[in-house]
Amino acid sequence: MGLSTPALLRHPVWTTRTADGNGTGVLVIPGFGGVDASMAVMRHWFRRRGYVPVRARLGMNLGCTDVLVARLERRAEELAGRTGGPVVLVGHSRGGMLGRLVAVRRPDIVSGLAMFGSPVLDPLDARGLARQILRVLLRLSAFGVRGLLDQDCLTGSCRDATAGGLAAPLQVPAVAIYSREDGVVGWRSCQDPEAEWVEVSSSHTGMGTDPALYTALATRLPRWVAVRRR
């Protein structure tokens, strides 16, 4: 529960119940090093509004980008089959970048993409403690600790594939939500030219319970659902 959670629970964007989702599937993806439990509040909000939100099941969202994207693609396929149509991808930080890569691969099963705090223009645009953690993970990987962050993700074929996917045109509607007060990633790196930009005032970790972010989602997702119906 973040510091902004109480404000969210009192806000009309939370207290107002709707059925906008009409059974649309939503794949909710946590950020780097994050677990599905960290996105529980957001999944609950989607459920209250008539969506079918599911966990990403990526563990702590560490490891090779290619492997994680393949797992998310299968997860999106399963959800699309279960709900009878394309799904919405919602991701925080690295989760948003992974969601974008899935959307580029499979626009046939994605009806919309929401990224918040996702430095798609420069995945290594980390600040403060996040930069130090990145260095530690690279050192551990170099010493043979597997499943964290391989050097190939930064300099090899995995890095090239990721860069290509993050720069590729999007065939689905998308929103990129960012904050100048992020403190973990550079906000300019979140301004995906293929997405609509929305600025909020939130810390990086606080975005998941920021009422302004939920308001941005609430005004856009129904349009994506309408496209899905057609």
Side-chain angles (χ1 to χ4, degrees), residues 14-49:
W14 182 276
T15 58
T16 303
R17 285 183 175 271
T18 73
D20 293 341
N22 195 39
T24 299
V26 181
L27 181 55
V28 184
I29 314 165
F32 184 76
V35 295
D36 286 324
S38 67
M39 308 294 282
V41 171
M42 180 166 285
R43 290 198 305 273
H44 185 58
W45 179 77
F46 277 119
R47 196 173 297 111
R48 287 167 58 90
R49 301 178 77 90

Side-chain angles (χ1 to χ4, degrees), residues 129-177:
L129 180 60
R131 182 179 292 273
Q132 297 176 33
I133 292 173
L134 180 62
R135 290 172 180 165
V136 170
L137 291 176
L138 285 173
R139 287 173 186 159
L140 290 173
S141 296
F143 284 125
V145 180
R146 305 190 58 164
L148 297 177
L149 185 64
D150 295 337
Q151 189 64 36
D152 185 58
C153 290
L154 302 180
T155 59
S157 59
C158 180
R159 181 260 177 204
D160 293 340
T162 298
L166 294 179
L170 283 170
Q171 299 181 49
V172 301
V175 60
I177 304 174

Side-chain angles (χ1 to χ4, degrees), residues 152-226:
D152 185 58
C153 290
L154 302 180
T155 59
S157 59
C158 180
R159 181 260 177 204
D160 293 340
T162 298
L166 294 179
L170 283 170
Q171 299 181 49
V172 301
V175 60
I177 304 174
Y178 65 92
S179 171
R180 295 171 194 254
E181 302 169 22
D182 187 297
V184 173
V185 302
W187 61 271
R188 290 183 179 87
S189 295
C190 301
Q191 294 181 322
D192 189 330
E194 292 288 315
E196 179 186 2
W197 299 349
V198 174
E199 182 176 355
V200 298
S201 297
S202 171
S203 67
H204 189 73
T205 56
M207 282 188 179
T209 53
D210 182 5
L213 183 144
Y214 284 76
T215 300
L217 294 178
T219 56
R220 289 163 177 79
L221 266 67
R223 298 200 297 265
W224 301 351
V225 171

